[in-house]
Structures are given as C-alpha cells and as structure tokens.
Amino acid sequence: MMDWTDRHCRYFMRLLSPFAFLYTEMVTAAAVVHGDADRLLRFNDAEHPLALQLGGSDPDQMAQATRTAAAFGFDEFNVNVGCPSDRVQSGEFGACLMARPDIVAECLSAMQAETDAPVTVKSRIGIDDHDSDAFLWHFVETVANAGCRKFIVHARIAILEGLSPKENRSVPPLNYDRVYRLKQDFPELVIIINGGLTSIDAVEEVLQHVDGAMIGRQAYHQPYFLTELAHHFDAEWPLPDRRAIVNQMLSYVESMLAEGVSLSRITRHMLGLFAAQPGARAWRRHISENAHREGAGPEVLLDALKAMPVAA
C-alpha cells in the first residue's frame, strides 16, 4: 500500500470505521533515520489505533527508526516481510527476508528494546519455490522465539523474480488453509489473515479460523466497505451516510490546505466512496477534473456532491 495509505487516507478511513486498526504505508527505516522524520511519521490523533509499518534489514537502523518513531505515539510497530518489489529486494528487505528469519528476529529484538508498543510482523506464506508449511512454520517459530506474538500473513507466496508487485497480488493462488493450519499449530500466537477479502461473508469465514482479517485494496477502492464491516460486527453503530462523511472531511481539508497540502493529495483517496452507487462516475469525474486546479478547496467536494443524484 505504498503511496496509498498516507495520513490523509487514514484520516478518511477512520471516519468510515471507528474500530479498524489502521496501518501506515511501508516506510523504510533508512528514510526515517536519514530523512525528514516529521514528514514521514506525523499523523492526526484521530487515526488511533495506528501501526507504523517499517521496512529494513539492519537491526541497528530498525532500532534507531523505532526509537525516533516511538516519540510520535504509534500503537504498534510492524516489520514488513511481505513486499515483493524489486526496489525492496535491492534493499534486502521485504519478502526476500522470509529466507532470513534470523535477521528478522534480530530486527524484532532490537526494535522491542526501543518501545513498549507491540512489534509485529507481516509476511507471505512463502517465497518462490519455498512453498510449504515447513518453510512458513520455521520462519514463524524463529521470529516468535524472539518475542513476536502477532503475525499478519498474506495468504499467497511471493514470486520474487518473474512477476511484478501487481501480479504478486493476484497471480499466486490464495492458500487460506495454510494460514488456518498455522493458527492451529501456534494457538498462542495472534494470526491475522490478509489477501483477497472482498465481502463480509469472506471475512466472517476466515474469522472462524484465525484471530483477525486485514483488508487492503478492497477498503481503498471501495472504502464504504469498512463502514459496512463495522456495522456488521456492531449493529448498534449506525451506518453513516456517505454525504455526511464528505461533510466531516471538509474541516480536515481546510486545515490541510492551510498547511500547504494540495487538495488532490487528499481527495484522491475519496474517489471510491460512492463506488457502485448512482452518480459514482460524476463524483469521480468532478473531483479528478477540478481538485488539481490552483486554489481548489472544499467547494470541489461540495460541487461534486451537487452533481450526484440526491438519493446517492
């Protein structure tokens, strides 16, 4: 979710669901240590609970990044061992680290020494020809022995050579059963499943076997799905109207514009709010054509609403 789940996206997502545990896009430890940490790490208090997802393979650097980030008040630190991109592999982190569980364990231990917040791991079920229960079990056991109690597992292997990151999200087949068996064999660990969850029924099914479900692209492209999930699991929480959510965003938009943030940086995350609803195309078109214009402000969202059918 790099370049997707930035702070503007997360603020919007929090309005859609008060219960979801939000995760940042992956931030490299090197960028935190050597770059503009405030720009990379700051967030709105409304985003809690929020986890920072870090990428890296140097224990000292991961520890230093965690020490810096801990001051911002994150609720969890998550080590990315699932991203298959060439850029990540060249930095020797991401999914390729599944073949080096000892390094992941060292990073985890170093990070735990810098924060009281949980340090967790997100991985695949395997990489390349390492497509077996034994490979995943060895990885999990090694990292768990270093103190990790929570694993988020994308239920596909990662093909590190020959497939693009986009293809790695759909071409390798899903294998939920392996994740279910992982939970059975490590009942003391918190196992969260990720990958291909696009309906409430699908989420309900996986929760019969594991401790939680992570929703990624479905929540981004059809963000109201998060709201429907929240209502499904807590019927006393009323479903908010989509238009009301837009109106709640207006004050945030104004505050960000005052900081010099361009409107399009915020509204790009809102394009899917009316997905599958009457007027969805008009909503997307108006924002896409106007949010980037010089001086564009909250009126772009209000005018986009006016362009839609009243019932939407």
Side-chain angles (χ1 to χ4, degrees):
M1 305 295 285
M2 291 176 69
D3 299 323
W4 288 24
T5 50
D6 63 18
R7 63 191 177 111
H8 311 305
C9 175
R10 298 190 306 265
Y11 185 89
F12 172 55
M13 294 292 178
R14 179 56 71 215
L15 295 180
L16 292 158
S17 172
F19 313 120
F21 201 122
L22 301 178
Y23 284 72
T24 70
E25 58 190 324
M26 184 178 68
V27 179
T28 67
V32 173
V33 172
H34 301 297
D36 185 347
D38 184 71
R39 179 183 63 81
L40 293 168
L41 300 177
R42 65 185 172 127
F43 59 90
N44 190 291
D45 284 343
E47 295 174 44
H48 288 293
L50 176 66
L52 171 65
Q53 188 174 152
L54 281 173
S57 59
D58 181 282
D60 291 337
Q61 196 171 68
M62 292 289 276
Q64 188 174 346
T66 301
R67 186 185 319 126
T68 298
F72 288 77
F74 289 96
D75 301 290
E76 176 183 311
F77 292 87
N78 180 259
V79 184
N80 184 294
V81 193
C83 182
S85 77
D86 292 340
R87 183 174 60 171
V88 165
Q89 288 183 61
S90 66
E92 298 185 339
F93 59 96
C96 65
L97 278 181
M98 287 199 73
R100 299 290 305 278
D102 54 326
I103 296 296
V104 179
E106 290 179 27
C107 288
L108 186 104
S109 296
M111 294 168 68
Q112 288 174 324
E114 302 295 340
T115 179
D116 293 329
V119 182
T120 67
V121 168
K122 186 176 188 292
S123 74
R124 294 293 186 116
I125 59 171
I127 53 173
D128 296 330
D129 57 346
H130 299 295
D131 185 11
S132 68
D133 287 7
F135 177 79
L136 179 59
W137 270 229
H138 174 64
F139 173 82
V140 167
E141 185 172 35
T142 302
V143 179
N145 285 340
C148 186
R149 307 261 57 88
K150 177 179 174 182
F151 291 81
I152 301 164
V153 185
H154 186 158
R156 288 186 175 92
I157 66 168
I159 305 298
L160 301 182
E161 294 186 12
L163 290 183
S164 68
K166 181 178 180 180
E167 290 169 328
N168 262 295
R169 296 193 293 267
S170 59
V171 174
L174 288 162
N175 187 346
Y176 291 159
D177 287 340
R178 179 171 295 163
V179 186
Y180 300 162
R181 292 193 297 272
L182 181 70
K183 176 60 183 178
Q184 291 171 358
D185 287 356
F186 295 90
E188 74 281 6
L189 300 179
V190 175
I191 304 296
I192 312 294
I193 198 167
N194 171 236
L197 299 172
T198 60
S199 70
I200 290 175
D201 287 345
V203 173
E204 279 280 21
E205 171 59 26
V206 299
L207 290 181
Q208 304 306 307
H209 306 278
V210 294
D211 302 298
M214 175 179 273
I215 314 296
R217 280 158 180 80
Q218 175 69 9
Y220 191 88
H221 293 303
Q222 298 191 32
Y224 200 72
F225 179 61
L226 277 184
T227 305
E228 294 168 335
L229 273 176
H231 178 69
H232 175 77
F233 288 106
D234 186 352
E236 294 184 2
W237 183 70
L239 277 169
D241 178 76
R242 288 176 173 85
R243 290 174 176 266
I245 292 170
V246 175
N247 286 322
Q248 288 181 67
M249 280 294 294
L250 297 180
S251 60
Y252 178 80
V253 167
E254 289 176 346
S255 66
M256 290 298 100
L257 292 176
E259 291 186 13
V261 177
S262 65
L263 180 65
S264 60
R265 293 293 300 171
I266 304 169
T267 56
R268 68 190 181 105
H269 303 301
M270 302 174 64
L271 294 176
L273 178 60
F274 290 91
Q277 299 296 302
R281 181 176 298 178
W283 164 261
R284 294 193 305 271
R285 182 173 61 246
H286 186 84
I287 293 174
S288 298
E289 291 177 353
N290 294 281
H292 67 282
R293 298 182 186 277
E294 185 176 354
E299 72 283 350
V300 172
L301 291 173
L302 293 173
D303 290 342
L305 288 179
K306 293 176 183 177
M308 298 177 62
V310 174

